[in-house]
Amino acid sequence: MVKLVGLAIFLACALTANASQAAADNAGKIPVVATFSILADFVSNVGGDGVTVAELVGPNGDAHVYQPKPADAKALREARIILVNGLGLEGWIDRLIKASGSKAPVIIASKGITPQQMEENGHVGLDPHAWQSITNAITYVTNIRDGLIAADLGRQDYYRANAAAYIDKLHALEKQVSDKITQIPPERRRIITTHDAFGYFGRAYGFSFIAPVGVSTEAEASARDVARIINQIKTTKVPAVFLENVTDPRLLKRIADESGAKIGGTLYSDALSPPDGEAPTYIEMMRHNIDVLTVALTQ
Amino acid sequence: MQLQEMLVAPFTEFAFMRRALAGSIALAIASPPLGVFLIMRRMALTGDAVGHAILPGAALGYLLAGLSLGPMTIGGLVAGLAVAIGSGVVSRTTILREDTSLAAFYLISLSLGVTIVSVHGSNIDLLHVLFGSVLALDDTTLFLLATIASLTLLALALLYRPLVLETVDAGFLASVSRSGGVVQVAFLALVVLNLVGGFHALGTLLAVGMMMLPAAAARLMTLEMTAMLVIAVALGAAAGYAGLIISFYAGLPSGPVIIMTAGLFYLIALVFGPAGGFLRRLRPRRHLEG
């Protein structure tokens, strides 16, 4: 009996705590769930103090092959905005949203971007890695700003100001990136990475990227693909190969050893690093990538 | 291109193909003979269970030290041995038989392994850990595979007589010698060692394929123990070679194709095997003939 009373008291407290917390949320911050770390960084910059951001796939995680946890469904149910990349990156998100019973509006960050096609093993698909071009990142930020305003009209001036300030930073970043690229001779702008995450980056900044595995990190490489890459490196004299933070480095090391290209460093493609790492924010990620590329390709 | 050249060129041209072949052959020398003994001892599922059991150990090693050979190998060895020996102990001290405790232990360790990898927020897909990378064998991994193969051959040479005796008639061995228990533990240790080696090249699940499929095919082809061991090794090596060639020309993932080739050998032996295959058993035979 004592236990039961205790339980009742506990439940009552929990309920009031929940209710008061919900009230505080309504009065204060908007809970946003972003599917992966790069989107979370965008929305934190635009939302500032107006939002609390949760990310489903954390730092160094691979959004292509993610295992949902119950806590994620819970976060989605409590979210007032769900932020996804779209373009087929998060194949698991629709089911997860449905399963969580969430009614929150879904913002597709890549809306309005002209998607690039990728061809791999005969089938053509959309390339989801649009954020690798800073111009696209600005579109992401605009979409996120509009989504936040739609959900929280009261703070629209605040969101507009944050977005404008962040877009200014992105323009400055784009300038830095183009300046750095001019240091790399055009004929050396050829790169091998572990998966095709840099299609937009390549198009935007004049690099050609070759990857031993297709668009998605789910595929296993075949001997034919590996042989083709090695031949390609040898015939086109690709100077360096780059690792990514989300894929298996062993295969790329093998390819580098055999083709005579050197390993240029780690590029961040689909996920940021943890806060104490090399690329904890989008801006630092792009800066890190271009630094790694410049150092490896200008030597 | 001539056929002959087509069958050799990938290996002369590409070092990664030579490494993959060397690794597969090293695996094929040591694993299938152990598979033969497992089959003769009616322990075919032990290989499977131990293969799964390696995962949490390897995952812990991976957690502590990243994708590096040493910690993942040691972790896998410890976890595999714990399950192999643990289920033997359970079967001797409780009412449960060995198959039940093996199933229980491997399910526990598999779920533990998946949890460990997932909690880490793995930056590398679990599939890579499960499936290994036969195309990416570096010097140390090759050296490890060769060492394991050599150790296994030496140990099998030493253990051969008691192992065959213990397999065929454990009661007789127990009556003439007290080495039965030692033989059994040493044999299990070899199985674990080979599965851990195979794990680096083919992954935890497919390593079991290299151990069991050539052995099962060889079992269908002869009744004679020595011949069975030799045939199993030959089939394993042939599967490694053919799988790599198919992967090279057809653009299919290498590890699974190697095991599928071994599986094909098994299916052929199942039908045509002279020592107990499907067709053989259809024909009437003389009294007391195998």
Side-chain angles (χ1 to χ4, degrees), chain B residues 32-71:
Chain B
L34 296 171
V36 168
F37 281 109
L38 283 172
I39 287 175
M40 300 307 283
R41 297 163 76 96
R42 298 173 188 273
M43 289 167 68
L45 283 174
T46 305
D48 203 26
V50 172
H52 286 84
I54 290 168
L55 186 64
L60 265 182
Y62 166 65
L63 242 181
L64 295 176
L67 259 183
S68 81
L69 195 70

Side-chain angles (χ1 to χ4, degrees), chain B residues 2 21 72 80 89 106 108 125 135-136 143 179 229-230 249 252:
Chain B
Q2 286 192 330
L21 185 65
M72 284 172 82
V89 169
Y106 102 67
I108 293 169
D125 176 9
L135 299 180
F143 187 68
S179 62
L229 295 175
V230 173
Y249 288 110
L252 296 170

Side-chain angles (χ1 to χ4, degrees), chain B residues 26 140-153 193:
Chain B
T140 41
T141 314
L142 269 184
F143 187 68
L144 180 78
L145 291 178
T147 310
I148 289 175
S150 316
L151 269 178
T152 308
L153 283 188
L193 192 64

Side-chain angles (χ1 to χ4, degrees), chain A residues 39-288:
Chain A
L39 292 181
D41 181 45
F42 288 151
V43 74
S44 310
N45 274 293
V46 180
D49 292 334
V51 297
T52 54
V53 183
E55 56 194 20
L56 298 182
V57 180
N60 285 343
D62 184 349
H64 299 81
V65 282
Y66 149 80
Q67 298 270 341
K69 296 185 287 295
D72 298 336
K74 187 163 167 282
L76 281 174
R77 204 182 55 228
E78 286 162 5
R80 287 211 16 229
I81 293 178
I82 298 168
L83 180 57
V84 305
N85 178 71
L87 301 174
L89 178 75
E90 309 100 332
W92 37 270
I93 190 72
D94 289 343
R95 267 183 306 166
L96 187 60
I97 291 176
K98 201 173 270 176
S100 71
S102 173
K103 299 274 187 297
V106 177
I107 305 179
I108 298 168
S110 63
K111 198 176 70 187
I113 283 167
T114 322
Q116 280 178 214
Q117 303 279 317
M118 329 205 52
E119 196 191 323
E120 190 59 35
N121 294 330
H123 25 213
V124 176
L126 291 180
D127 181 354
H129 309 95
W131 62 86
Q132 284 291 340
S133 137
I134 298 170
T135 315
N136 286 344
I138 292 172
T139 311
Y140 275 47
V141 170
T142 320
N143 287 332
I144 291 168
R145 179 197 64 196
D146 296 346
L148 286 179
I149 291 174
D152 185 14
L153 258 179
R155 286 209 193 86
Q156 62 164 313
D157 293 338
Y158 177 64
Y159 295 142
R160 274 185 214 288
N162 281 348
Y166 189 58
I167 287 173
D168 281 346
K169 282 192 204 162
L170 291 179
H171 280 304
L173 175 69
E174 193 157 37
K175 173 98 179 37
Q176 289 173 357
V177 167
S178 347
D179 287 350
K180 283 258 179 180
I181 285 171
T182 52
Q183 299 173 17
I184 307 171
E187 72 278 5
R188 286 179 71 85
R189 294 180 196 166
R190 274 192 299 266
I191 289 153
I192 305 273
T193 56
T194 36
H195 90 283
D196 270 346
F198 295 97
Y200 292 90
F201 184 92
R203 177 80 64 91
Y205 310 112
F207 285 88
S208 53
F209 281 87
I210 311 166
V213 185
V215 190
S216 164
T217 45
E218 281 168 80
E220 298 280 327
S222 75
R224 184 180 67 185
D225 298 340
V226 175
R228 194 182 282 162
I229 298 274
I230 288 170
N231 280 339
Q232 212 164 354
I233 297 177
K234 284 182 181 161
T235 51
T236 58
K237 300 196 170 54
V238 171
V241 299
F242 292 86
L243 303 170
E244 274 172 65
N245 62 329
V246 297
T247 47
D248 188 341
R250 293 174 294 189
L251 188 59
L252 202 67
K253 282 189 179 133
R254 189 73 253 120
I255 290 173
D257 273 5
E258 190 158 343
S259 59
K262 68 179 154 77
I263 297 202
T266 299
L267 295 178
Y268 287 80
S269 56
D270 297 7
L272 302 173
S273 71
D276 53 350
E278 295 168 309
T281 68
Y282 175 77
I283 289 180
E284 279 164 289
M285 172 183 91
M286 295 303 282
R287 237 181 238 150
H288 169 85

Side-chain angles (χ1 to χ4, degrees), chain B residues 259-278:
Chain B
I259 303 304
M260 278 200 287
T261 314
L264 185 69
F265 293 159
Y266 166 70
L267 290 177
I268 293 171
L270 212 51
V271 178
F272 299 104
F278 177 67

Side-chain angles (χ1 to χ4, degrees), chain B residues 87-289:
Chain B
S87 45
V89 169
V90 168
S91 72
R92 253 163 245 130
T93 53
T94 69
I95 190 176
L96 288 180
R97 292 222 234 141
E98 184 147 22
D99 58 338
T100 316
S101 49
L102 268 177
F105 271 108
Y106 102 67
L107 286 168
I108 293 169
S109 39
L110 181 64
S111 51
L112 189 65
V114 174
T115 311
I116 291 171
V117 176
S118 304
V119 162
H120 185 44
S122 74
N123 49 359
I124 293 182
D125 176 9
L126 178 64
L127 284 178
H128 288 296
V129 180
L130 280 177
F131 288 157
S133 199
V134 71
L135 299 180
L137 296 177
D138 56 14
D139 290 348
T140 41
T141 314
L142 269 184
F143 187 68
L144 180 78
L145 291 178
T147 310
I148 289 175
S150 316
L151 269 178
T152 308
L153 283 188
L154 270 178
L156 275 181
L158 281 175
L159 291 175
Y160 188 72
R161 288 181 69 87
L163 190 59
V164 171
L165 263 184
E166 218 250 344
T167 303
V168 179
D169 189 350
F172 175 71
L173 182 69
S175 72
V176 296
S177 153
R178 260 185 257 147
S179 62
V182 179
V183 169
Q184 199 160 16
V185 170
F187 173 69
L188 279 178
L190 286 181
V191 170
V192 173
L193 192 64
N194 273 274
L195 288 175
V196 171
F199 151 73
H200 290 295
L202 295 166
T204 51
L205 304 182
L206 295 183
V208 185
M210 188 51 119
M211 185 171 283
M212 301 316 299
L213 289 169
R219 169 68 190 82
L220 289 160
M221 289 168 77
T222 175
L223 289 170
E224 211 268 309
M225 195 71 187
T226 320
M228 210 184 292
L229 295 175
V230 173
I231 291 173
V233 168
L235 287 178
Y241 169 77
L244 286 172
I245 283 283
I246 294 170
S247 168
F248 187 85
Y249 288 110
L252 296 170
S254 310
V257 174
I258 291 175
I259 303 304
M260 278 200 287
T261 314
L264 185 69
F265 293 159
Y266 166 70
L267 290 177
I268 293 171
L270 212 51
V271 178
F272 299 104
F278 177 67
L279 292 181
R280 184 70 188 82
R281 305 206 80 166
L282 278 186
R283 271 190 286 142
R285 68 200 96 164
R286 288 200 310 273
H287 186 53
L288 286 181
E289 193 195 42

